Amino acid sequence: EFQVSKHGTLLKSGGVCLDDGTPRRHEAVHTFTSFLQPNGAINHFHIPFHTLSMSSTAEKDINLQNKIFATVDNKSEEGERFLEEVFRYFQEIRNLRLRTSTLLKLIGNGQLDLQESLQLLSKLRGENPSSKDEDNLAKSMEVKIYSNKLNKVYELLNLYAECTSRMEADSFEPTLENLTECLAQLSEADKEPLFKLISDSSTDKDALSLNLTATQFLNAFDTDGELMRSSAAGKRSPSIGLRKDIDPKIRQELAKFFCKLSMLDSAEDILLSSGISTSEILDTVLASALRFPNQTCQWFYNLAKCFIALLTVKEGSDDRSVSSLQELSKRLILKAKIDENLYCVILLWMNALRSVDAPHAYIDDWSRRLHQTTGMVELLSTFKSLLAKTKPNHVDLSKTTSSYSLHSVYDCGNGRVTELVSTWLHKLGSCSLNLPANMDGLNETVELSLITKVSDYFPKSMDVNVLVVHMAWDELQTWHTQDRNDMASLETALLSLSAITCTKLKVMFSQLIWRTFFAKLFRDIVKRTDDFKKSSMNETSICDKEFGIRRDNLACFLRLILAFLDKSLELLRFGELPDVYVEYDNFSLNGQKHLLDHALAGEPPDIDILSLENQFCVVLYLTWKLKLPSRPLKLFNSVEINNLIKTNTTAVISWFSDYNTSVRTERISWTGLVSETAAGYIHRLPDSQLDSKDYKELMAPVLQLSKVWFLSDVVRVGQCHALYIAGFDSLGSEIRNTFSSLELDKLGEKLMDVVLLRIAKYLHQDPDTAQVATIPAEVVTEVAARRDRSSTVADTPLTDTRELLKWLTET
């Protein structure tokens, strides 16, 4: 019935013809139910009859659901007959989805105990039309889904009920003798670490007790999905899979359940008839065993039995279960953390493979993995003990080895172990520069202790040359990515290259370092330095932003790079490089290349290009160190610039007029400016001594560069002249005594000019002195002409000037 407003009447009639009131439209409107308003307007109801029918059915189903809940709540009053009544209500519910959700609520909320749930499910399955005609292809998909869900829920609860009851009845507790008998396929040496772990374990045996309710067990599985699957016997059984989002604690309890199930008689048949995939069971058990280690004899025994039972199950005529379980175990075990527990899991899995006569290739593979695990466990133990001794209060040992797995160590190329040892040595406070001395010394050091232990397994990878290469590379990466202003770390890494005894490796590795860390940065500095000299810029901001190096650190950086290039150039001048005798240990089946492989795979550096880079570096270093106003690119011709910074030659020529012809003049001018500026780094000490160390360090690259530029005589003459200008006659005379006759001729004219400048300065700086001085008439003109330039020479005693003049007259 419909609720009708108090202002109007509901009209009910069968096939009444009414006029709809539309003008000039005299057509009859057929209606069955209408509403007559007080003003005479008629409202037609257009309600689909199937909607009315569904609405009534849905309301009825909801009422039946409420009756089911009420009946279950009052089951104590109803007695044993309440299940019959609940079953009758379920039969009357027409919506199969509502029927399923109601059933799961009853089970999930604990309103029905396990046996009551099984009885109700058995009745529902019995009345299910799909069970009477399983081959009827015309039945609706909704009925198939409903039937499938019923079967899966029933099979799961039946499995849980049967197994838990049998587990409670079975009071067997395995001992070490039982475990030893189960592991009879293994050697005593392989079993010894497992038994030692059991004897040292403090794990509570109560941790193995099963804390899994029927509801938790049921909710862990996906009861939707595949409808049915065919078994080996030709029967159709439900295919049940685990959910992906199971709580780790529930997964741990499931692993205990499956392990205890494997202890039962005919466990293989139970597993096969349950419909649960053996792959998913193994996934659950292995994941739990690796994530929640339990070091008791009972757990290891249960785990061994579970592995054997899973490998024994035959799921079809074309059985590939062993191979599929082998692949699954590799995927899980190889990515697990390396520790004593992983060793035990591999050992038990290998024992199971031997027990079922699995292919020898599988067993040999796990035997190799077992040996790898043993070695890595020992190495990690050694490293952690050294780390605790070195930094007892400043390190969390639990986090130092958390990321190491068999895959990340042994399946990532032959150089992986050297990378790990390099990382460990840095964590122990060592560096590439100190490593050779700490390895060759008589004292026991942490470096020597660690490397000696690792050498027992990987002797070639622990060669000092290989370790220095990796440690220096790690230090350069840290410098390049974290703090480019840390010049101490950069210097340490570059100085350590001198410890590499293999010449070819040193050259090739230096070339790799240059290409990776310095080449682009160096070219950017060349171009930006020339820009700075052309126009005024915010040099501090540009250096920080583009180079990542503070402006005041650029000179130090270029000094280190210059020393690095000098050593590389010196090694290349020896001619053909000898063969390399260092390599990694060959232990990985993965052909991934590592640092040593990349360094030796490249081409040797071109000595001409390296020499050009060295020349540019000298110019840049002295320009930044001495704060010279010169533009570096003016000192090189267009071909040299193009070879270095890879610019278009024609574009370079268009920047300067007659550029190539002016290079020699610019170079002579620049070396003269360097000689004059460098003289300012000479310091006078007491007792007429001179500190010329910094001066000699600044002039050494200039003198070397002058030989490449074929300006050696010009630079030497200019250097000597600059020393006399600055008043350091003793240093100038030392250099002067090494000159050839041609150089002395060029120097004589310059030194005579210095003498006249000194006399002019002496005469004109004090008017009284000028009045009493007696000068030959022919000298007056020369002295007067140099009066304005007399301030360019330093104050020098007349005795030094007299000695210089005496030498000039005698030469």
Side-chain angles (χ1 to χ4, degrees), residues 418-419 422-423 426 431-433 465-481 489-490 492-494 496-497 500 505 508-518 564 584 594-596 598-600:
T418 311
E419 289 180 355
S422 173
T423 303
H426 280 117
C431 67
S432 58
L433 186 60
N465 294 286
V466 180
L467 285 173
V468 168
V469 164
H470 276 270
M471 292 188 70
W473 185 264
D474 290 343
E475 291 161 2
L476 287 170
Q477 281 189 318
T478 302
W479 169 83
H480 191 263
T481 57
S489 298
L490 177 61
T492 297
L494 295 181
S496 67
L497 300 182
I500 301 176
L505 175 61
M508 301 299 289
F509 182 54
S510 298
Q511 175 68 1
L512 181 62
I513 289 175
W514 176 260
R515 292 200 315 265
T516 306
F517 299 108
F518 301 139
F564 171 74
Y584 296 124
H594 283 265
L595 182 58
L596 194 62
H598 289 297
L600 298 177

Side-chain angles (χ1 to χ4, degrees), residues 141-298:
M141 182 59 66
E142 189 175 3
V143 174
K144 290 183 180 180
I145 294 174
Y146 169 71
S147 303
N148 177 68
K149 192 141 193 160
L150 277 183
N151 290 333
K152 287 186 176 182
V153 173
Y154 177 80
E155 292 291 346
L156 288 171
L157 291 180
N158 188 48
L159 174 66
Y160 178 83
E162 179 182 359
C163 293
T164 51
S165 61
R166 294 177 62 179
M167 290 173 192
E168 292 173 359
D170 187 4
S171 60
F172 173 71
E173 289 189 8
T175 61
L176 281 176
E177 289 75 13
N178 300 126
L179 182 59
T180 303
E181 183 181 352
C182 182
L183 303 181
Q185 302 284 344
L186 303 174
S187 65
E188 294 298 327
D190 289 340
K191 292 185 288 188
E192 182 180 355
L194 184 141
F195 291 138
K196 183 178 184 300
L197 197 62
I198 294 175
S199 62
D200 297 341
S201 173
S202 59
T203 305
D204 187 3
K205 292 185 178 180
D206 292 338
L208 286 176
S209 59
L210 187 63
N211 299 314
L212 184 68
T213 64
T215 302
Q216 291 173 333
F217 181 77
L218 181 61
N219 292 336
F221 293 90
D222 184 9
T223 52
D224 297 324
E226 288 184 66
L227 296 182
M228 304 291 284
R229 69 170 183 176
S230 297
S231 64
K235 299 180 180 180
R236 305 184 71 188
S237 59
S239 175
I240 307 174
L242 285 165
R243 296 185 186 274
K244 304 299 181 184
D245 54 346
I246 305 176
D247 183 84
K249 294 296 183 181
I250 301 299
R251 187 177 290 272
Q252 182 184 10
E253 296 300 325
L254 281 175
K256 295 179 188 177
F257 177 85
F258 290 127
C259 287
K260 289 180 178 293
L261 187 154
S262 304
M263 301 282 294
L264 303 176
D265 296 334
S266 65
E268 294 82 3
D269 297 334
I270 296 175
L271 289 172
L272 186 60
S273 61
S274 68
I276 306 173
S277 170
T278 54
S279 298
E280 293 196 337
I281 295 177
L282 180 62
D283 186 298
T284 302
V285 173
L286 273 179
S288 177
L290 296 171
R291 184 171 180 178
F292 305 102
N294 190 313
Q295 299 169 356
T296 61
C297 175
Q298 184 178 354

Side-chain angles (χ1 to χ4, degrees), residues 447-651:
E447 293 91 345
L448 184 61
S449 300
L450 178 62
I451 293 171
T452 302
K453 186 64 177 179
V454 181
S455 298
D456 295 339
Y457 297 94
F458 309 100
K460 295 181 180 179
S461 298
M462 292 299 103
D463 183 88
V464 65
N465 294 286
V466 180
L467 285 173
V468 168
V469 164
H470 276 270
M471 292 188 70
W473 185 264
D474 290 343
E475 291 161 2
L476 287 170
Q477 281 189 318
T478 302
W479 169 83
H480 191 263
T481 57
Q482 296 183 10
D483 185 9
R484 295 189 185 181
N485 289 299
D486 186 2
M487 295 300 153
S489 298
L490 177 61
E491 186 174 15
T492 297
L494 295 181
L495 288 177
S496 67
L497 300 182
S498 59
I500 301 176
T501 57
C502 179
T503 305
K504 184 173 182 179
L505 175 61
K506 186 187 298 186
V507 172
M508 301 299 289
F509 182 54
S510 298
Q511 175 68 1
L512 181 62
I513 289 175
W514 176 260
R515 292 200 315 265
T516 306
F517 299 108
F518 301 139
K520 182 180 182 303
L521 178 59
F522 182 73
R523 290 196 297 269
D524 293 341
I525 293 176
V526 170
K527 290 184 282 188
R528 272 305 188 181
T529 303
D530 197 74
D531 294 339
F532 292 158
K533 304 306 176 182
K534 287 192 295 184
S535 58
S536 177
M537 296 182 179
N538 189 346
E539 298 181 11
T540 302
S541 175
I542 292 176
C543 290
D544 287 338
K545 187 175 181 179
E546 297 188 10
F547 308 149
I549 303 174
R550 292 196 302 269
R551 185 180 182 278
D552 53 349
N553 283 337
L554 267 180
C556 180
F557 169 74
L558 291 169
R559 175 180 63 82
L560 297 175
I561 297 303
L562 177 59
F564 171 74
L565 291 173
D566 283 340
K567 292 179 181 178
S568 300
L569 197 57
E570 183 180 354
L571 291 173
L572 281 178
R573 289 184 179 132
F574 288 140
E576 185 176 354
L577 299 174
D579 293 334
V580 177
Y581 57 85
V582 293
E583 60 180 353
Y584 296 124
D585 291 281
N586 187 13
F587 60 86
S588 178
L589 299 179
N590 189 325
Q592 179 179 342
K593 292 186 177 181
H594 283 265
L595 182 58
L596 194 62
D597 305 313
H598 289 297
L600 298 177
E603 293 293 330
D606 189 324
I607 191 170
D608 294 330
I609 298 297
L610 188 61
S611 175
L612 178 61
E613 292 167 342
N614 182 266
Q615 297 172 44
F616 268 96
C617 194
V618 171
V619 172
L620 283 180
Y621 166 59
L622 293 174
T623 299
W624 282 96
K625 177 68 177 178
L626 303 178
K627 298 179 175 59
L628 303 179
S630 307
R631 292 175 54 189
L633 292 183
K634 280 198 170 186
L635 305 180
F636 299 90
N637 60 44
S638 56
V639 176
E640 292 170 335
I641 295 174
N642 185 62
N643 286 335
L644 180 74
I645 60 178
K646 304 297 186 292
T647 58
N648 191 331
T649 304
T650 57

